[in-house]
Structures are given as structure tokens and as C-alpha cells.
Amino acid sequence: MDFKSIEKKWQTRWEKAKFNHFDRKDDERKKFYVLEMFSYPSGAKLHVGHWYNYGPADSYARFKRMQGYNVFQPMGFDAFGLPAENYAIKTGVHPKDSTEQNIATMEQQLRAMGAMFDWSAEVKTCEEDYYCWTQWMFLQLYKNGLAYRKEAPVNWCPSCNTVLANEQVEGGVCERCGTQVVRKNLTQWFFKITAYAEELLTGLDSLDWPDKTKNMQRNWIGKSVGCEVEFDCESGDTIKVYTTRCDTIFGVTYVVLAPEHPLAKKLTTDEQREAVEQYIDYAAHASEIERLSANREKTGVFTGSYCINPVNGNRVPIYLADYVLATYGTGAVMAVPAHDERDFAFATKYHLPIVKVIEKKGEETVLPYTEDGIMVGSVQFDGLVGEEARSAVAKYITKLGKGGSKVNYRLRDWLVSRQRYWGAPFPVIHCPACGDVPVPEKDLPVRLPYDVEFRPDGKSPLAKHEKFMHTTCPVCGGEAERDPDTLDTFVCSSWYYLRYADSQNDKAPFDRAAVDKLLPVDTYVGGAEHACMHLLYARFFTKALRDLGYLDFDEPFKRLVHQGVILGPDGNRMSKSHGNVVSPDDYVNEYGSDAFRLYLMFGFSYTEGGPWNDDGIKAISRYLDRVEKLVLKISDYKAGKNPPYGAEEKTLDYARHSTISRVTKDMEAFSFNTAIARFMELTNAITKYDALPVKNVPLLRSVAEDLVKLLAPCAPHFCEELWEELGHKDFVFEEDYPVADPEKLTLDEKEYAVQVNSKIVCRANISTSLSDEEIEAYVKTLPEVVERVGDKTVRKCVVVQGRLVNLIVG
RNA sequence: GCGGGUGUGGCGAAAUCGGCAGACGCGACGGAUUUAGGAUCCGUUGGGAAACCGUGCAGGUUCAAGUCCUGUCACCCGCACCA
């Protein structure tokens, strides 16, 4: 088959018939929204990863379509972002120009793939008609207190010259470029994702997502149940600490503040001032490597002040130490060196007292002892253990009016400011008189100017664009400046799946009815690397928009599937520097898009991925040839009179229906490699039947047609062509996906493994109508069994219907 | 350190509720066809001469374990001073 011409032929026909367009008016069929993560328009062409994501997922979408769903499968581009800007800095090509060029190339390649993308719904996040609404989203969050600006210690990537969200720092280095991140205190915009921490956590339970991904989000949100306690200072200030171990509170021998804690300087005495300021400076400049080193020596400094432990009135010293994080809990902890490893190390180093207040049950207590144990030296609480102990102490603290139970989350608010050019500008004006003023919605979009100097120097490129910066305050009309930062590109991708539902709308980001009808996404397919970024942000957006009344569902993605990663042939991640990049184009040119897609589906376990290896691609190509020859040969047969329907025909029909039933399950489960194995088995069964001298032509033909239908989602152009050759006028995709007939799935007899004392002695075909007792009786007559059993008695017989019989003798 | 995952032929991989390990392919070997090569078609193919042995390793539960339990090793991923 000349795949090049048939690919073109069917792509053109599908387009002409608007086959790929989601039918918004259709109320008969159930909608089904299949979404693949949209792509970043990089300079390189479509790589194997894109193909692996989109090809098999498209087969799934086509499968759902043939099952009778009104399938919506859109595609678009996550077009803002750093790579285009970095490319511009290197080459001088403007990000807008290179991005548009790349999108054009990729669109063409994506079309050539032959996927049923509904291009009429396409979105490009860098275009005004999209980022206008991204800015609108910001304004809604701002109006409702979910976006705020504050000075905070933030992660700064010196190579990308911008701040990063917590989620974009991996092990202390920039997720994108691998550069060590440094801390800076900057005034930045945040989204209050923490307001949804609890719902983001509990909502996971209802989602059909990989457990691993759900667990990663749970970990990331990091719920912790503990207790807040107030320690009064002699200065009159109060230090709030957070602890999960209030059962150890009688063992507090000092209190530690993070160096950035607001009370740090205030509580410092004159004698200690110099040492403290030095330490604060040291902590601010300690490199991240140092901070991250697991067994880094603890450092700290005494403030000179003391505070009072509310439960026993003990006077304890207040220290500063950078092992306490400013951004978690209250930025202060009560130190119990006897029962916490970090406090133990610190106390040992600075010769602070260590007081044991928990004892290990029945064994000697070795300090630091951090497990649950029996409270001792704790007056009225002595003898209490674990959870019970903590709740008693927490109650007591509440009664004292010094705090009480408290839930904390590890999740931080989402920092969305970026000091870069190629992104959506903040719709905010800073007025010397009125402060931060949101741009009125009617003035959106705040256009991103083209003529900008984007050489990075740590300041936002837009800040140097006077025309952009200079504006008037919408409130007082006075001179004012725009915010020079741009929004994190993850903001753009947090709502694109909603825009697809109504992408041409120029009055609103989307119409509520359209979105409520199409969403949530039924199946979302994309990489696992987004577990704690995009997938979390998108959930947050959905919940926030729901609460603001813009939509009516709780979760954006009902089902999530991660495709695996295709590595280079050497087992490493594909990259130019490894020199192991495999280009799909070469294979597509040589074998065709269907064969390439089919190979991706067959050669790997979809969710696992693995090293690239093209050994099997010829085999797939050969398989398609076999199918073609076989089907065409059968289509030429003339039906004889009185076609036979005996054992052979029954076997063939059984092969057909068991293939249908198993493939349907496999496709639904994204178990594409096994689905294709079933196609091959069915093909083998047809070949075998076809070799018989006398055959039932109508049956054979109908089985062959079913094979074409079953295979169609996985090899769409190829099957359309075959379908046409078989004499059909309509698309094969207008056909119903075959449904297994349960009657044809029952066999008269099945092969059993016959075991004596759990060892297989023979196999036997046994009628499926026999009862366990009848099977046992029959099996006992088999010569192999008689020989093994001899005169020993059968003490037990296990029958597993349809599978095996096990006689226990002796 | 914490959380999660993976480990099966020469290779990619399969294996419903615990029920014949290795489906389907690749490769290899043998044969047919062919002047030859290629292509195609048909067989064989976990190891072992065999009894038997085989799912990282060592135990356990069970009539029966790749699957369940305990311990252990290796690799991968995520988090990592979160009090």
C-alpha cells in the first residue's frame, strides 16, 4: 500500500467531511472529552515523545468515537515561555516570530500524524485573544482575595534571571536549567493556592488518577496535624511555635526562630546584637548547596532573650538558627533535644540542656528518642502515650489560652511573577497615590509590546519599555506605571482545557453552559513530570473558578493517564548533548504514520516507556502487509451455496469474539501492546481458517471486516483504505466498534491442566457443562492419572472450572 | 532519612480472584521457494541428555505463589532540616 498517498487522501477526506470536528449541537451521543497535554512550540520538530503521547491517545479517542461517543479532542500550544526568549537572546530572532514559525511547522506535522484533532478549537496562549483572558483570570482571583502581592524570600534563578515557584525548584536547582537557586527577598505576586489545600487533598480520593501521582500531590500538600503554642517573652512579645509533638513540651530547653523571623532583631539584646546581625547575614548568603546538605552542621546564635514555657513556667533561651524554616508553620519551633534529632544535634553543639520526657516502652531509652512513648517528668500527664498524650496536652494548652490544635500544610502559595518578557503581562498598575490598581476589564488585554530589549540583567525587560510602563491610574487619573513582570506560563496552562470548550468567544473566556456541558475532561493524557505543577495548578483554578461562579464542577480531569518516557537507544533521556535523539520523521517517511504509531503502541508498555529500539518496526510494517493481502484476498471470494458452520467455523467465531472482548478492555485500559497482540492472534486465526479447502465465505468476510474495524483506531489511514477496498462508501469510523456476542464466547470444551499432587501429568479437553464431581470422576479415568495415583487414596480434589484439576493423593 | 515504584528468556514484553509462567512479536536455528541476495511462506526456539530446574535473593502461608506475608539486595522516581 502506498501509505504516503493514502495518508493524504484520508486526511483530506476527513477534513472535508469535518470528521474531526466536535459536534456541539449533537444531544444524542454522549460527549467524551479526550485531552492530551498541549505542546510547547520548540524549534525542533515533533519528537518521539510527542508522537508517543499523541498517537496512542488519538487511537483511544477514535476508539471512543467508534463506541458511539461524541468525541472532543482539541490541540493547541503552550506558546509563552523561556526557551523562545533564550533563543532570541542567542540569535536575535524575536520570540513572537520564532514561536509563530514553530507553531506553523508543528501544526503541519501534527496534521500529518492523522490524529482527529479538532483544529477549530485550537488555542495559542501567546495570542491576544487568549492572554487577554489569562489576565482576566488574574483579575478575578485578585478581586476575590486569591491573588496578593507581598515581600517574601523567594527562589531566584541567576541563569534564567527570574524568580521561580516552589514547584519549579528541584533539589535546590532550577527545574529548567539546572542552575543553583538563590534566595532573595522580593515583592512578588502570589496566588493563594493554600486556601484550597484541604480540598486539593481530599479531592484526590475521587479521581481516577495513577496512585503515584495522587501520592505525590498528597506529599506536596503535606498536611500535618499538630499544635500551636505561645511562649511569652520577657520583652512582652509572644512567640508562636508549631509542633506535632506537644507531648514533648515539658522537655523544651530552648526556642528557635528562623533568621528571617520578624521578632528576630527585636528580641536581640545589645550584647548579642553584633553576633546576631552577623548570623542573619550569614544565613541569607549561605549557598543552597550548603543548606541542602543532609548532614550539614547546625548553626545558630543566642539572641540574649528568654521566654516562658506555658506548661511549666520554665524560662528558656531564644536562639536563631537556619534549620528552622521561615516559610513553614510559624517560623519558630520549641526545641526538645531529647526527642528530636535536629534539636539534639544543635543542643549538643551549643551545650544546651537535654531533658528526657518520653520513655520507650519496656526498653532503655536512647536519646534522641523520636518515636511515641510514655510521658515522664510531665506532672499530670505522666504515663500517657502517643495520640492520647498529645490530645490531652493540646486541650490543656487551649485551656491555658496559649494556643491549641492546628493543622499545617507544606504547600506554599504559588508565586506567579516572572522577570521575563515572553509571557502575559500583569494587568496591574502601580499608582503612587492609589497603590496597586487592577486594570479595568474593559481595558484588557494589556498588550505585550513587540519592540523590547530582552537582554537579561535581572530586571524585567518590560521595565525598560517606557511606552509600556508609562500609563495613567484608572482610579485617580494620575501618572502611574504598569507592573513590569509577566505571569508564570503555568498560569496560561491552568485554564486552557476550559478555553477549548469555547475558544472563539470574544466576550468572555468561555461560556458557562459550554464548559459545563463539555467538562470535566474524561481522559487526560500527558507526562508524569507535571504531577505537582500543572496538574495541581489546574485543579486549583477549577476550584477557584467554581467558587467564583464561573463553572459547576470540582475537578478538571476525571481520569489521568501518564504515558511513559521513550529513552534514547542507550537508555538515557534523549537529548542533543547525549547525541541519542531519534527522529520520528525518518521512520514516518519510511514506514508511514500508521506503522510508526502502531509500533509505538506495540513495542512498549504505554505507561512504562523504555529505551528506543527499532527492531520491531519492520515487523509491524510486515504485519500490515499481511493484513492487507489477507483482507483483499477474502474480499474477492465468491460466496458458495450453503456455507458450512461446523467446528472450524465455531473456532473462528470464537477467535473473533474473544478478540473483540479483550481488545475492548485493553483499549480502555491503555494496554495497547496487548490489544495489538490480540489483532495478530485474530489475523493468525483468519489465516489458518483461510487455508482450509472448504470455507464459509460470508463468515470469513465478516470476521475480516471486524478485524479492519477493530484495527481502525490504531491504524486509521490504512483501515480506511482497506474499508474502501472492501467496497464500502462511508468512513470506517462511522461504523460501530464491534461488540462481542457472549453466546459465541462459550466453548463446548476447554483444555484443563490435570495435576496430581500439584504436578502436571497431562492436559485434557473437558466439556464445559460438567460439574466439579463429574470432572473429578472423568479425570480419574485418564491413563496418566491412573498411573500416578496407583493404589494411593485421593484425599482431596481441587477443580478450577475452565482451568485445572488437582488431585491430592497419598 | 521519608514516600512510591520496578526487578520475568538473547531482546521488547504478557500473565482476570492466587490456578498450565513466558501470550504477541523481535532475534536465532531448520526447511520451502529463488541463479544469488532480498522478500515471502512453513516449522522449532526458557534452561537441562534426563529426572527435573526456572519470575532479583532468603524464608513463610497454601492443594497451588511472578501474584499474598516477613526479611533482604539492586535500580528508578518523588520529597527532603516541614518541627
Side-chain angles (χ1 to χ4, degrees), chain A residues 660-732:
Chain A
I660 293 170
S661 135
R662 298 171 77 183
V663 162
T664 304
K665 279 191 200 119
D666 287 346
M667 289 298 289
E668 192 56 56
F670 279 65
S671 179
F672 303 122
N673 53 347
T674 52
I676 290 160
R678 314 285 178 235
F679 297 145
M680 291 172 170
E681 283 173 313
L682 180 58
T683 310
N684 291 343
I686 297 173
T687 305
K688 201 171 153 197
Y689 181 80
D690 181 54
L692 296 176
V694 184
K695 38 201 172 238
N696 181 330
V697 171
L699 173 73
L700 185 53
R701 194 180 155 106
S702 108
V703 174
E705 290 200 340
D706 273 354
L707 174 64
V708 174
K709 290 189 218 168
L710 290 167
L711 187 57
C714 306
H717 311 88
F718 173 85
C719 290
E720 284 288 18
E721 185 69 16
L722 274 189
W723 192 246
E724 189 182 54
E725 300 231 32
L726 281 165
H728 298 285
K729 295 275 180 285
D730 292 330
F731 292 138
V732 68

